[in-house]
Amino acid sequence: MIYLFDDKESRQQSYGWTNKMFELWSDVIVRIKDYSDYLLSEEKDIFKEGNIIIYHESFSTCIPYEERRNYQAFHNALINGSELSGVNVVIFSGSIASRAINDNVAHVPVTDMYANLECFLEHYREQDMDFKYLLWGEEYTIEQTLLDLIEDLSNEIYDGDCESNWSNVFFASAQKYGINAPSDDCISQKLWLSKVSDAELDSYIREWFKESEYDALYIPLCFGKILSDYNGLRLAIHIRCTKSKNQNKPIYIYSPVPTSFLVQSKYFDILKTKGVKLINMRPKKIIDSLGSLQPLTENDIKHEIEKIHLPVPQNYEDSHSIANEWAIYRWAAATKSEDSAIENVANTIKSNLYFKHLTTIYPPSDIDCIKEEKLKFKDHLSGVSDALIGQKDINILYVDDEADKGWYEIMANIIHDINNIRGFDYLGEDLKALSQQEIIDYVVNRVKEDSVNILLLDFRLHKKDYDSKNIEDITSVQILKKIKKYNTGIQVIIFSATNKVWNLLALQRYGADGFIIKEGPENSKDSSFTIQTIENFINAMSSCLSNRYKKCLCQIVSDLNSNLEKCVKAHIIDKDYQKSVKLFYRMAYSSLPQSVDDPCFDHSFMNYFRIIEATANELIDVDNPEAKEKNGAVRYSFKFRGTDEYLKDYNEEEFSKTGKKLSMTNKHLNFKQKFYNLFARLGVYSSATFNMVEKRNALTHPNSKVNYKVEPVSLEDVLLAASISFQCVRKMVENKEMEE
C-alpha cells in the first residue's frame, strides 16, 4: 500500500489531484491530510513491509503543538528512511530542487512528484514499484540518453592549436561525467555532485567570484545527481542575479543536447537573454565560442532579467507566503528593524533564486529608510481629559501566525520602541497548532480578557483560509465580526497580501477600521510602494489610537441600554423614552467621524444633547404648565412629573438658586431653565455642564451680534456631552427605582 502525507489540499488540487482523482486510486493509495487522518492509521500498518510512504517534509507543522513531541519519532524515522527495513520512502517538497534515489529512499521536487504520480500508480498496480516512474514519469530513459551523450563527447580530444587566450577564463566542470577545460591556462573549478541547492549554488558564486574578475564564464548544462535537471541554466540565473565582479560577464553553457531538449525547463528563459549562449560541448565548439559574446552593461542586467519568468517556489504555501517574506524584507529595511528572524528572511532573499531574481528587478537600494519621526503615531486624545476617555491605557494585540518570521520585531520596533507603547502583545506560531474555531475563540477571549482596544489582525490565520471561496469563512473575518458584535468601538486593522477590491469592501462592511496590504513582488514595480504602505499603517494606527475612546463609549451605552430595557419590563421607565435614548445613542455613535482630523463633531454632539433633553422631558412636565393670573398678567409654572415640586428659578450667569419658584410669562419652558433644573435635580451640575448648554445654544440659535463667531464643536465637547448624558440617564433610573 502507498501512504501519501500532504496537509495542503490546495496544493494537491493545483496539480489536478482532486478528491475525485484520489477516489480513482483509493485501492492503492491512502491519503493522510492531517493529524486526525494519521491517528486513524496504525504505525505498524504504515510501516508494513513492502509499503511505500510518500511524505511531504513539512507535514509535521500541521501537528497540534501539544502532540508534536510524540509525533517527532515518526517524522524522524521517515526523514531518515534508510533505517526502515522493507519500506520505501519518498520525501518531496518545494525546497527539494533535484531528484535523487538512494537505495530505499527517493527525494523529488513537489512539482515532479504530482506530475508523475499517476504514471507511478499505474505501474504500481502492475507490481512495478520502481521509483524512476515517480521521478521522471515514462521519460525515465532521458537520464541514460544524457549519460551516453556526455560520455561520448567527453572522450573527444581536440588536436588543433588553441590560439585564443584562456588565461582569464573561468571554466567549471561537473564532478561526475565532466570534461576537462580546453586549456591548461583556464581557472578551473568543480561543481560537486550533491551541492545543487540554491544556498549551495549561491555559495559557489560568492566563493569563486568574490575577488577575481574574468573575461568569460563556462559552466556545464548537466551536473548534480540528476543530469536532466539541467542545473547549468539555474546556475546561470544565479550568476546574473548575484552582485559580483562577474555578474555581467558572458556565460557559455556547454551541453550535450540541443535547445529542443530544454524548452520545458523552468529555467529555460535564461537562454533568451543577452550574454548567455548554449554551445555544444565538443572541444572544438567550446574553443571556437570564446569571444562571441560581449559583457552586459549595468543597465542591461535588470532589463534582461525581466525577461525571465520563474515559478513560485513550491515550498511556499502560495503567493501570500511569498508576499509575506518579501514584505518583511522590505519593511525591515525601511524601518531599520533587526532580529534573528528578520536575518533568516534576509538570508533567504539573498540566496533563494526566486527572491534573488526579484531583488535584481526591484533592488533593495530603491527602499528609502524612513526617519524615526515619521514612524511616530499622532494621538489626538493626548490633549483630552483622561476622565472623558474611559480606558486610558493603550492595549494592542497583534495576531499573525507568521509573526515570528519577523513581523513581530517590525511591529515591536514601531509600536514599542519608537512610540513607547508598553501595552503591546502578540499571538503567533502557536496558532498553527489550533483548529479554525480554536483560533477564533482564543483571539476573541484574549481581546476581552486583556482589555484590548486596538487589534492588528492578519487576514489568513488558518490553512483553510487559503481554500475558502466565501470571505465570511475566513478566520480573521469571523474574528472581526465577533469582536465588533462584542464592542463596535474596538479598533481593528487587517493585514493581508490580497488587494482584491471586493475583499476590502467586505471588510469595511464588517467594521474593519483599517486595511494594510502586505507588499507582494508585483507591488514593487512602484519603488515608493513600501514607504507609502508603511505611512498608511502609521496613519491607520494614529486614527485607531485617536478613536480608542469609542470602545468605552460603546460599553457604557450597551450597559445603559440593557438596564433601560430591564426597567421598561419592570414598568419603571417609559418605553418610548427607552426607544428614543437607544436611537439617539446609535445616531450619536454613527455620526462620529472615522478620522479625528475631520472636525465635523456637530451631529454627534447634538444627538448626545438630545438624550439629555429627552431625559429632561421625561422628568419635567413641559406640556402642562400651571397658569396663574396676577395683576392682569398670566404667569406659568412647571412641575416635575408625578410630584408637587415646582421648578426653581436659576441665575443664568452663576447657576445659583434665587430661592423662588420659576414663574414665566411664556407657556413654553425656557430652554436653559429646563436644563438647569434637570442638572440640579440629578446632581450632575458643574461648570462644564453650563458651558455645554451654552455651546448647544450657540450652535442651534446663532446670533451674529452676540455670538459673532461660533466655536467649532471639538471631540472633548462630544465626550463631555456623552458623559453628562450617561450621568443623567443613570441618575434618573436610580431615582425612579427608589420611588418604586
Side-chain angles (χ1 to χ4, degrees), residues 378-639:
K378 295 177 182 177
D379 184 3
H380 289 78
L381 297 185
S382 58
V384 178
S385 169
D386 291 345
L388 295 176
I389 296 173
Q391 182 182 335
K392 181 181 177 182
D393 295 337
I394 300 171
N395 291 330
I396 301 172
L397 179 64
Y398 173 45
V399 182
D400 186 348
D401 61 326
E402 303 287 353
D404 296 289
K405 283 190 173 182
W407 278 118
Y408 168 70
E409 178 56 33
I410 293 171
M411 292 298 159
N413 181 32
I414 296 173
I415 296 171
H416 183 277
D417 300 344
I418 294 175
N419 284 282
N420 297 314
I421 295 175
R422 299 288 176 256
F424 174 63
D425 202 358
Y426 82 109
L427 302 175
E429 181 72 23
D430 291 352
L431 296 177
K432 292 183 177 180
L434 304 179
S435 69
Q436 189 178 32
Q437 190 57 52
E438 286 172 335
I439 292 173
I440 295 167
D441 294 341
Y442 186 32
V443 173
V444 173
N445 287 337
R446 277 291 298 270
V447 169
K448 294 178 180 179
E449 291 168 2
D450 296 350
S451 297
V452 170
N453 40 26
I454 300 175
L455 178 64
L456 308 180
L457 195 60
D458 191 52
F459 187 59
R460 291 185 172 93
L461 295 168
H462 189 269
K463 62 181 181 179
K464 286 185 177 179
D465 295 336
Y466 296 92
D467 302 320
S468 297
K469 293 180 173 58
N470 186 347
I471 190 171
E472 291 196 6
D473 295 332
I474 300 291
T475 309
S476 63
V477 174
Q478 295 187 58
I479 292 172
L480 172 63
K481 291 167 71 175
K482 283 182 175 289
I483 292 296
K484 289 297 183 177
K485 184 178 180 181
Y486 167 68
N487 189 309
T488 309
I490 296 174
Q491 304 294 291
V492 182
I493 296 176
I494 305 289
F495 280 85
S496 177
T498 180
N499 57 2
K500 295 174 181 176
V501 174
W502 51 89
N503 284 341
L504 173 58
L505 293 175
L507 290 168
Q508 288 178 330
R509 187 169 65 251
Y510 297 135
D513 301 285
F515 185 89
I516 306 298
I517 297 174
K518 286 184 176 179
E519 181 176 359
E522 69 281 0
N523 303 126
S524 300
K525 293 176 182 177
D526 178 358
S527 59
S528 65
F529 188 90
T530 305
I531 305 300
Q532 290 176 355
T533 303
I534 295 173
E535 288 177 350
N536 289 342
F537 171 65
I538 300 302
N539 291 335
M541 281 297 297
S542 297
S543 178
C544 289
L545 278 172
S546 301
N547 283 326
R548 69 186 185 276
Y549 69 88
K550 292 182 179 180
K551 177 187 176 184
C552 189
L553 284 183
C554 289
Q555 186 59 58
I556 294 173
V557 168
S558 176
D559 293 342
L560 283 176
N561 282 334
S562 296
N563 196 27
L564 286 173
E565 287 179 10
K566 292 178 183 177
C567 290
V568 167
K569 290 179 181 178
H571 304 291
I572 297 172
I573 297 294
D574 181 72
K575 188 174 184 179
D576 289 336
Y577 168 76
Q578 178 260 330
K579 285 184 175 180
S580 296
V581 169
K582 187 174 183 179
L583 174 63
F584 288 139
Y585 272 135
R586 185 167 68 246
M587 292 170 63
Y589 185 85
S590 63
S591 56
L592 284 168
Q594 180 63 26
S595 170
V596 289
D597 290 325
D598 179 355
C600 187
F601 289 98
D602 301 26
H603 293 295
S604 186
F605 176 83
M606 291 303 297
N607 280 310
Y608 281 120
F609 204 92
R610 288 188 180 107
I611 295 166
I612 300 171
E613 190 166 10
T615 306
N617 293 338
E618 182 72 6
L619 285 179
I620 300 170
D621 189 353
V622 296
D623 300 318
N624 301 294
E626 183 179 282
K628 287 187 178 181
E629 185 176 347
K630 186 176 182 181
N631 300 325
V634 178
R635 299 190 68 85
Y636 298 92
S637 301
F638 297 82
K639 292 181 179 180

Side-chain angles (χ1 to χ4, degrees), residues 96-242:
I96 298 174
S98 297
R99 294 161 284 189
I101 301 175
N102 295 309
D103 298 325
N104 70 316
V105 180
H107 291 81
V108 59
V110 63
T111 303
D112 296 311
M113 195 284 290
Y114 278 114
N116 299 324
L117 182 56
E118 187 172 13
C119 171
F120 177 67
L121 294 178
E122 287 174 349
H123 285 274
Y124 182 84
R125 273 181 175 168
E126 301 300 322
Q127 306 301 310
D128 184 355
M129 296 181 286
D130 198 325
F131 279 161
K132 63 190 178 186
Y133 296 110
L134 189 59
L135 272 62
W136 294 282
E138 295 293 356
E139 301 298 322
Y140 67 90
T141 56
I142 185 65
E143 282 296 299
Q144 188 59 49
T145 301
L146 291 173
L147 180 58
D148 293 342
L149 286 169
I150 290 174
E151 288 184 333
D152 182 49
L153 293 174
S154 64
N155 291 327
E156 285 196 13
I157 299 175
Y158 181 60
D159 294 327
D161 294 330
C162 185
E163 298 179 357
S164 304
N165 181 4
W166 288 77
S167 62
N168 201 40
V169 173
F170 177 86
F171 192 91
S173 61
Q175 176 192 4
K176 193 174 183 181
Y177 311 123
I179 62 172
N180 294 326
S183 169
D184 292 338
D185 294 336
C186 287
I187 309 300
S188 300
Q189 292 287 356
K190 285 281 188 195
L191 289 158
W192 297 98
L193 198 65
S194 60
K195 294 185 177 181
V196 291
S197 70
D198 275 345
E200 288 160 339
L201 293 180
D202 181 73
S203 66
Y204 279 133
I205 296 166
R206 299 186 188 279
E207 177 187 346
W208 292 341
F209 303 148
K210 182 179 180 180
E211 302 294 340
S212 302
E213 183 175 0
Y214 302 103
D215 296 329
L217 314 175
Y218 282 79
I219 58 177
L221 173 70
C222 301
F223 67 87
K225 292 184 178 180
I226 305 300
L227 300 175
S228 58
D229 283 338
Y230 305 128
N231 286 313
L233 301 178
R234 184 172 159 209
L235 177 58
I237 302 177
H238 266 286
I239 293 171
R240 279 289 184 261
C241 295
T242 306

Side-chain angles (χ1 to χ4, degrees), residues 99 142 146 149 219-223 226-234 236 253-272 276-280:
R99 294 161 284 189
I142 185 65
L146 291 173
L149 286 169
I219 58 177
L221 173 70
C222 301
F223 67 87
I226 305 300
L227 300 175
S228 58
D229 283 338
Y230 305 128
N231 286 313
L233 301 178
R234 184 172 159 209
I253 305 174
Y254 58 89
S255 162
V257 300
T259 306
S260 59
F261 273 54
L262 311 179
V263 291
Q264 298 302 320
S265 170
K266 57 187 174 183
Y267 307 116
F268 178 76
D269 285 350
I270 187 64
L271 296 177
K272 300 177 183 178
V276 178
K277 189 174 185 178
L278 184 71
I279 61 173
N280 190 282

